[in-house]
């Protein structure tokens, strides 16, 4: 019915609250990419020789690689020589030792984004590492965490303070040449967080990193490494936002997780990069490689992601289940509104015996949004009695959006079991009318239905962020029906 | 309460309602009967404000206000409730969560404080008992996987919680077994009050044995051809629509 299509068009108007620019003087690397630029970044971060070598090797590898084209996304060609690979607020030449030394302009930025960096504020149970363009500007609760031996610090500091940790694990889960974007990241990565949880320690608070792109014409290439030693537990969350700009900006991150014997890592993402305007102008190109290694027996890695932002999302957080009885989980809600395109999913690679994986993917498409779930389950010969459960649901709002499901399955033994369920539904005019007849406004009705659809995933988020994510889904759909 | 004057409605250019006049007084219960396709549900949707129904002539006053001008949610907030002939499922949204949101939206419109979770649970328990709706169903997703009879009972449960001024119940009796029919009728009767009006759409006299109407109307081909007291429904049951239509109005 055409009337309902019009209604839906109205609600698809979208507000982006995080779209402001912080007026702060920043220092840039000259645009373009070369061995000199790689050296410039490494030098800025006062890195040891071995790391510079590592970067240069990655750069040379990258030069030989081609940008992948298999994903169901289309975007103008990225000119890698045109953008900057390093930008940092000038005030931060020497990383601040305490919050008092952080530029108030930066504190205000995070405040405005709802991430107060004062340790006594709302997020009192959460330690935050705030990454602004290419550098970390503040990390809270470090002392408190150090008391129990938990390392939580910016990458560039960890390189200096815990070189053995970085040397051991950097590139151990995502090899430099894994793909085009991981190679690029390895060459030019800027800041990100390093977490190490010692044996038997349950990390006493949520850890989170908040990534903010501010500078124009600059890519962000963060690198995150989380190692959970035997029998430990950590829950980590990352959030991301960027100003509204007419030009596209590249974000190519690499995240590596390692869970040793009996350890557990819960990694949650609330990704709200600028998605571009309703005509598809501007927005972040988000090409991310995330992978976790369940190294030890009975280890467990859970990825939970709420992806509402970015013009292009290309992202497949995966698990390598090497330890016997290890568990991998992937819970995802991805929303594409207006002209957003998302090609996202996961890979579960079963190597150990009795390994189990669960994939719950909820895709929401509205406006002209395009969404592809791309998931791979690989069960090797030795992974006897492995189990996988995949559930892949799509919700369409309006009639100009699209959803696709691309599952790959490769099973090499006969004792394993896989289950796959998929559904596609559309928010119907009848559902909206039913809700409105009961007194709910159209927007509340859509947000109710969307949150009902996403609930199974949202409940996996740490409580502090579930409410935030729920609101974000509502805001991202503002104007989706009207 | 409700005054419909010479209402003409088209769907996709096709005339469905062809001049309806109907007045439901405060506290009254009216029954609307008529053969399949005569336009009963159409009338209920027009009253509730569904899109796609073009009013080409006539007007509708509700509590003295122009009903057709109001958005559906405003009509609901003003106390109009439609019990759907085919209740819609909303997967993932629990029944009580949905109802709490609805009730609080209506309360906000009335300038009342929202009910908190505890008070709402109390209310929900009380009303669920009224229509003998199992606790388990109040927690399940709205109408998702409900049987036909469960959906109808759920509509009455919702009505009991929202306490409307005017309830339009579209074939709330169809698909109910005999016991369930009594339960639903009991729920509806418990809701009868001098301040509340009802328009009960049904095909069956047996519902009207339980919910005794003040007035019965017969709708055929988009027009109300007969109105009368509860005996009219009995005549219909015995003689069928065509004979009643053709009989001279007494
Ligand atoms: N969207 C539509 N497009 C075309 N015709 C429609 C549409 N909706 C309703 N109609 C027609 O309007 C007429 C009245 O339908 P309505 O549902 O109001 O009947 P009813 O009296 O409720 O019937 P029943 O007793 O079977 O429930 C029917 O002929 C139906 O086919
Ligand atoms: Mg009907």
């Amino acid at each position: 019915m055409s009337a309902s299509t019009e209604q839906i068009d109205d609600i698809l108007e979208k507000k982006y609250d995080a779209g402001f620019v912080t007026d702060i003087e920043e220092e840039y690397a000259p645009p373009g990419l070369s061995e000199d630029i790689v050296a410039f970044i490494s030098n800025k971060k006062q890195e040891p020789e071995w790391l510079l070598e590592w970067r240069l090797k990655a750069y040379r590898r990258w030069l030989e690689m081609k940008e992948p084209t298999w994903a169901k996304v289309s975007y103008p060609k990225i000119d890698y020589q045109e953008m900057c690979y390093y930008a940092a607020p000038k005030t931060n030449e020497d990383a601040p030792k305490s919050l008092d030394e952080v530029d108030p302009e930066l504190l205000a930025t995070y405040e405005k984004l709802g991430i107060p960096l004062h340790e006594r504020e709302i997020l009192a149970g959460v330690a935050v590492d705030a990454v602004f363009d290419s550098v970390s500007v503040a990390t809270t609760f470090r002392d408190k965490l150090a008391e129990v031996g938990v390392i939580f610090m910016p990458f560039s500091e960890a390189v200096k303070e815990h070189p053995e940790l970085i040397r051991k694990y950097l590139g151990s889960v995502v090899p430099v040449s894994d793909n085009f974007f991981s190679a690029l990241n390895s060459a030019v990565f800027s800041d990100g967080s390093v977490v190490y949880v010692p044996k038997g320690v349950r990390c006493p608070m949520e850890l989170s990193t908040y990534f903010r792109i501010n500078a124009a014409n600059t890519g962000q290439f963060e690198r995150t490494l989380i190692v959970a030693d035997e029998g430990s537990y950590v829950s980590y969350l990352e959030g991301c936002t960027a100003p509204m700009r007419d030009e596209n900006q590249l974000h190519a991150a690499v995240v590596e997780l390692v869970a040793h014997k009996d350890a557990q890592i819960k990694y949650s993402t609330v990704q709200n990069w600028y998605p571009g305007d309703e005509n598809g102008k501007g927005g972040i190109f988000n090409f991310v490689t995330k992978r976790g290694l369940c190294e030890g027996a009975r280890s467990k890695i859970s990825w939970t992601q709420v992806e509402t932002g970015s013009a292009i999302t290309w992202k497949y957080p995966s698990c390598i289940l090497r330890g016997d009885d290890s568990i991998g989980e992937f819970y995802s809600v991805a929303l594409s509104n207006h002209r957003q395109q998302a090609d996202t999913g996961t890979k579960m690679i079963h190597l150990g015996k009795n390994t189990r994986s669960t994939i719950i993917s909820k895709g929401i498409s509205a406006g002209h949004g395009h969404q592809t779930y791309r998931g791979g389950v690989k069960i090797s010969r030795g992974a006897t009695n492995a189990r996988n459960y995949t559930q892949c649901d799509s919700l369409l709002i309006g009639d100009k959006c699209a959803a696709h499901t691309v599952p790959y399955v490769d099973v090499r033994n006969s004792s394993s079991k896989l289950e796959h369920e998929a559904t596609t539904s559309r928010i119907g005019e009848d559902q909206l009318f039913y809700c409105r007849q009961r007194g709910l406004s159209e927007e509340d009705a859509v947000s109710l239905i969307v949150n009902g659809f996403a609930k199974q995933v949202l409940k996996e988020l740490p409580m502090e962020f579930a409410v935030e994510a729920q609101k974000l889904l509502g805001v991202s759909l503002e104007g989706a029906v009207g | 309460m409700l005054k419909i004057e010479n209402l003409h409605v088209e769907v996709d250019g096709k005339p469905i309602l062809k001049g309806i006049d109907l007045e439901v007084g405060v506290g009254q219960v009216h029954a609307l009967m008529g053969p399949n396709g005569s336009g009963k549900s159409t009338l209920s949707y027009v009253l509730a404000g569904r899109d796609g129904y073009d009013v080409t002539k006539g007007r509708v006053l509700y509590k003295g206000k122009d009903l057709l001008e109001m958005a559906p949610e405003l009509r609901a907030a003003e106390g109009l409730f439609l019990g759907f002939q085919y209740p819609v499922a909303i997967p993932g949204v629990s029944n009580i969560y949905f109802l709490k949101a609805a009730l609080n939206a209506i309360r906000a419109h009335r300038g009342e404080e929202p009910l908190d979770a505890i008070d709402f649970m109390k209310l929900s328990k009380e009303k669920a008992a009224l229509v003998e709706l199992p606790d388990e169903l109040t927690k399940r997703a709205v109408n998702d996987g409900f049987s036909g009879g469960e959906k109808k009972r759920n509509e009455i449960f919702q009505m009991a919680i929202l306490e409307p001024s005017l309830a339009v119940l579209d074939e709330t009796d169809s698909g109910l077994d005999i016991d369930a029919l009594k339960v639903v009728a009991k729920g509806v009767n418990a809701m009868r009050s001098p301040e509340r009006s009802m328009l009960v759409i049904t095909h069956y006299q047996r519902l009207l044995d339980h919910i005794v109407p003040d007035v019965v109307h017969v709708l055929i081909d988009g027009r109300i051809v007969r109105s009368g007291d509860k005996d009219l429904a009995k005549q219909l049951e015995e003689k069928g629509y065509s004979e009643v239509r053709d009989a001279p109005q007494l």
Side-chain angles (χ1 to χ4, degrees):
Chain A
M1 202 184 287
S2 61
S4 69
T5 314
E6 271 166 43
Q7 290 175 352
I8 286 168
D9 281 351
D10 287 346
I11 287 204
L12 287 172
E13 270 325 296
K14 178 165 173 175
K15 269 193 236 137
Y16 186 71
D17 288 338
F20 62 92
V21 180
T22 304
D23 188 10
I24 194 164
E25 220 184 317
E26 297 203 51
E27 183 185 17
Y28 294 85
L33 188 50
S34 63
E35 296 207 358
D36 285 348
I37 291 290
V38 173
F40 172 92
I41 295 169
S42 184
N43 182 43
K44 269 280 157 210
K45 297 194 173 286
Q46 301 159 353
E47 286 175 353
E49 190 58 31
W50 68 264
L51 192 49
L52 173 61
E53 278 310 315
W54 194 84
R55 285 176 180 275
L56 287 171
K57 233 169 83 189
Y59 173 69
R60 287 167 202 143
R61 219 31 252 286
W62 177 75
L63 285 177
E64 297 161 7
M65 296 174 85
K66 284 217 165 55
E67 205 172 311
T69 52
W70 44 261
K72 211 173 163 50
V73 291
S74 62
Y75 53 94
K77 203 160 171 44
I78 300 170
D79 186 342
Y80 292 91
Q81 294 306 333
E82 211 171 56
M83 72 177 105
C84 291
Y85 290 82
Y86 182 88
K90 272 213 167 133
T91 47
N92 200 57
E93 286 277 17
D94 303 296
K97 299 286 174 288
S98 81
L99 281 173
D100 306 335
E101 297 167 54
V102 178
D103 187 323
E105 195 65 40
L106 289 172
L107 290 179
T109 299
Y110 286 91
E111 194 83 46
K112 206 165 157 186
L113 294 168
I115 318 287
L117 296 175
H118 311 291
E119 297 190 347
R120 279 181 304 278
E121 295 272 358
I122 317 164
L123 296 178
V126 183
V128 182
D129 182 10
V131 176
F132 192 88
D133 289 328
S134 306
V135 292
S136 166
V137 293
T139 310
T140 64
F141 291 111
R142 276 166 68 164
D143 300 344
K144 196 170 166 200
L145 289 166
E147 281 170 24
V148 287
V150 172
I151 297 172
F152 177 48
M153 58 176 64
F155 213 103
S156 21
E157 280 176 55
V159 169
K160 289 175 209 155
E161 292 186 27
H162 305 280
E164 68 306 329
L165 187 71
I166 307 297
R167 270 193 106 137
K168 180 166 174 196
Y169 290 106
L170 182 66
S172 70
V173 186
V174 179
V176 167
S177 55
D178 184 76
N179 66 71
F180 181 82
F181 294 105
S182 69
L184 175 64
N185 174 287
S186 301
V188 299
F189 71 86
S190 38
D191 239 337
S193 304
V194 171
V195 175
Y196 172 79
V197 189
K199 270 185 198 166
V201 169
R202 189 179 171 90
C203 187
M205 53 175 65
E206 299 280 342
L207 305 183
S208 85
T209 304
Y210 197 87
F211 294 98
R212 174 74 176 167
I213 295 179
N214 189 61
N217 195 28
T218 302
Q220 193 178 54
F221 305 90
E222 93 253 5
R223 187 107 199 171
T224 297
L225 170 65
I226 300 177
V227 179
D229 218 328
E230 293 180 11
S232 68
Y233 169 88
V234 63
S235 168
Y236 174 94
L237 181 129
E238 62 167 344
C240 337
T241 58
M244 296 198 235
R245 295 187 193 282
D246 287 347
E247 304 79 39
N248 298 111
Q249 277 178 280
L250 180 62
H251 173 259
V254 171
V255 174
E256 298 178 281
L257 312 183
V258 180
H260 289 289
K261 197 156 69 98
D262 296 305
Q264 206 174 322
I265 302 176
K266 187 173 168 58
Y267 190 106
S268 314
T269 304
V270 176
Q271 185 265 107
N272 187 28
W273 294 119
Y274 178 53
D277 71 7
E278 62 271 25
N279 302 315
K281 201 171 169 91
I284 302 291
F285 290 168
N286 192 32
F287 295 90
V288 171
T289 308
K290 291 184 167 173
R291 195 170 303 154
L293 172 64
C294 281
E295 189 273 337
R298 295 171 302 279
S299 55
K300 176 175 173 184
I301 290 179
S302 305
W303 298 101
T304 304
Q305 58 174 25
V306 176
E307 304 275 321
T308 60
S310 298
I312 307 278
T313 296
W314 180 100
K315 183 180 166 187
Y316 316 90
S318 304
C319 295
I320 301 168
L321 303 171
R322 182 185 293 160
D324 289 346
D325 301 288
S326 61
I327 297 174
E329 294 174 337
F330 175 74
Y331 300 97
S332 169
V333 178
L335 183 150
S336 333
N337 195 358
H338 299 312
R339 303 276 167 177
Q340 281 176 278
Q341 308 171 55
D343 192 302
T344 184
T346 183
K347 252 188 297 185
M348 293 290 175
I349 298 161
H350 293 253
L351 302 175
K353 296 186 186 65
N354 308 317
T355 44
R356 280 175 289 151
S357 61
T358 302
I359 300 172
I360 309 283
S361 163
K362 303 273 181 176
I364 302 160
S365 316
H368 291 86
H370 267 257
Q371 174 118 190
T372 302
Y373 165 78
R374 192 179 299 278
V377 178
K378 183 172 175 166
I379 297 187
S380 67
R381 192 165 306 142
T384 49
N385 293 313
R387 297 271 179 282
N388 165 265
Y389 174 74
T390 300
Q391 183 189 333
C392 183
D393 300 322
S394 308
L395 182 69
L396 307 175
I397 306 176
D399 54 7
K400 293 185 283 292
C401 55
H404 316 274
T405 302
V406 190
Y408 305 92
V409 174
D410 178 6
V411 182
R412 300 286 171 91
N413 73 52
S414 57
S415 61
S416 296
K417 278 210 182 82
L418 283 82
E419 272 179 84
H420 184 98
E421 286 177 31
T423 65
T424 300
S425 52
R426 196 179 287 276
I427 291 190
E429 181 269 340
D430 55 342
Q431 285 176 322
L432 287 177
F433 176 63
Y434 190 75
C435 293
R436 294 179 77 189
Q437 207 306 300
R438 295 300 183 251
L440 297 169
S441 70
E442 241 158 2
E443 290 192 356
D444 287 348
V446 169
S447 132
L448 192 83
I449 294 168
V450 165
N451 278 303
F453 175 74
K455 194 163 67 184
Q456 218 180 338
V457 172
L458 296 180
K459 74 174 174 37
E460 297 295 327
L461 286 175
M463 209 173 51
E464 292 88 336
F465 301 99
V467 179
E468 203 51 43
Q470 205 169 351
K471 271 196 228 137
L472 194 56
L473 283 177
V475 171
S476 299
L477 278 169
E478 217 153 84
V481 193
Chain B
M1 179 69 68
L2 180 72
K3 193 169 183 203
I4 304 173
E5 293 172 0
N6 192 29
L7 183 68
H8 287 70
V9 173
E10 292 183 359
V11 177
D12 290 337
K14 178 180 156 205
I16 309 287
L17 300 182
K18 303 165 181 170
I20 304 260
D21 288 285
L22 181 69
E23 191 167 346
V24 182
V26 176
Q28 284 190 326
V29 173
H30 287 219
L32 182 65
M33 305 182 79
N36 295 134
S38 57
K40 304 181 297 296
S41 295
T42 301
L43 177 62
S44 75
Y45 287 143
V46 172
L47 293 178
R50 189 167 194 157
D51 258 311
Y53 295 84
D54 303 323
V55 176
T56 52
K57 225 192 255 177
R59 62 171 191 162
V60 180
L61 294 178
Y62 171 65
K63 294 180 177 173
K65 289 181 224 166
D66 184 352
L67 183 72
L68 302 178
E69 281 296 298
M70 300 188 213
E73 57 270 35
L74 183 57
R75 301 180 197 202
E78 287 282 331
L80 185 116
F81 178 89
L82 171 59
F84 284 66
Q85 183 174 1
Y86 304 108
V88 181
I90 308 177
V93 180
S94 87
N95 220 350
I96 45 175
Y97 183 80
F98 171 71
L99 265 181
K100 181 162 166 269
L103 179 62
N104 282 335
I106 292 174
R107 288 177 68 95
H109 176 75
R110 293 199 212 117
E112 294 168 7
E113 289 292 307
L115 275 196
D116 63 25
I118 295 168
D119 287 342
F120 183 80
M121 285 310 294
K122 247 191 358 227
L123 178 70
S124 154
K125 280 226 157 63
E126 179 195 317
K127 302 298 186 184
L130 182 69
V131 289
E132 297 177 24
L133 190 72
D135 215 32
E136 183 251 339
L137 285 186
T138 66
K139 288 178 188 133
R140 278 227 319 248
V142 182
N143 295 323
D144 196 18
F146 283 31
S147 77
E150 286 167 346
K151 284 184 188 167
K152 295 303 172 74
R153 219 185 288 195
N154 193 30
E155 293 292 288
I156 301 302
F157 168 62
Q158 297 190 15
M159 172 175 82
I161 292 224
L162 300 177
E163 302 194 308
S165 324
L166 172 65
V168 179
L169 303 178
D170 192 357
E171 296 199 24
T172 303
D173 53 336
S174 59
L176 292 180
D177 63 43
I178 296 161
D179 291 342
L181 183 75
K182 283 187 188 148
V183 170
V184 164
K186 191 185 90 192
V188 171
N189 282 329
M191 295 284 297
R192 275 180 95 148
S193 97
E195 290 89 51
R196 184 171 292 126
S197 309
M198 298 191 189
L199 181 61
V200 179
I201 298 171
T202 182
H203 284 292
Y204 304 109
Q205 156 62 27
R206 55 169 199 189
L207 178 71
L208 304 179
D209 284 341
H210 300 287
I211 306 171
V212 183
D214 298 303
V215 187
V216 176
H217 307 276
V218 180
L219 182 73
I220 296 178
D221 192 21
R223 288 187 188 89
I224 291 182
V225 298
R226 293 290 292 268
S227 297
D229 63 9
K230 61 184 194 311
D231 291 336
L232 179 58
K234 291 214 176 77
Q235 278 182 46
L236 282 173
E237 182 99 333
E238 282 158 24
K239 300 180 180 158
Y241 286 115
S242 47
E243 207 171 311
V244 169
R245 178 187 54 199
D246 299 335
Q249 177 102 40
L250 299 175

